[in-house]
Amino acid sequence: MIRLWRRVKFLFNVRKSVPFLVRFFKSKDVSAGKKGFSVVLLVAYLLFPWDVIPDFLVFFGLVDDLAVFTYIMQWMVKMAPADLQKEYRVYDE
């Protein structure tokens, strides 16, 4: 239940994610492999949105998409250097 609450809280902090993503991709502390893999994950999901729950079930389909987006973003935050995480306070342990 705590993990679910963290994801919901993270989702409402998406506005902090945009500047974080800019700094993440400009940072020299993050390896090119991590940056590339992050881009591949995001683009692959946008191009090939395999859904657990189909989008014609409007509410549940959107929840499925938001869950995948949140998971990818949290993974990227965990890969970021500690100073970048602390600066934006996107992820709370």
Side-chain angles (χ1 to χ4, degrees):
M1 190 67 172
I2 293 172
R3 194 181 264 178
L4 175 66
W5 176 248
R6 283 186 188 157
R7 287 195 177 153
V8 169
K9 185 178 170 185
F10 180 82
L11 189 60
F12 283 111
N13 285 328
V14 168
R15 64 180 168 72
K16 291 183 182 179
S17 298
V18 175
F20 170 80
L21 286 173
V22 171
R23 288 279 314 276
F24 177 83
F25 286 107
K26 287 184 175 181
S27 176
K28 297 193 186 307
D29 296 332
V30 180
S31 71
K34 289 180 182 179
K35 292 176 187 176
F37 189 65
S38 301
V39 169
V40 167
L41 281 177
L42 290 171
V43 170
Y45 187 71
L46 289 174
L47 292 178
F48 307 107
W50 295 291
D51 286 336
V52 175
I53 302 171
D55 286 338
F56 67 84
L57 300 171
V58 179
F59 176 74
F60 298 110
L62 289 175
V63 169
D64 174 40
D65 293 339
L66 288 174
V68 171
F69 171 76
T70 303
Y71 178 76
I72 293 172
M73 287 297 299
Q74 282 183 333
W75 183 78
M76 290 173 66
V77 169
K78 287 179 183 178
M79 286 192 310
D83 60 329
L84 193 59
Q85 289 179 12
K86 192 177 283 188
E87 179 180 345
Y88 287 99
R89 294 190 180 120
V90 178
Y91 184 71
D92 296 324
E93 289 272 0

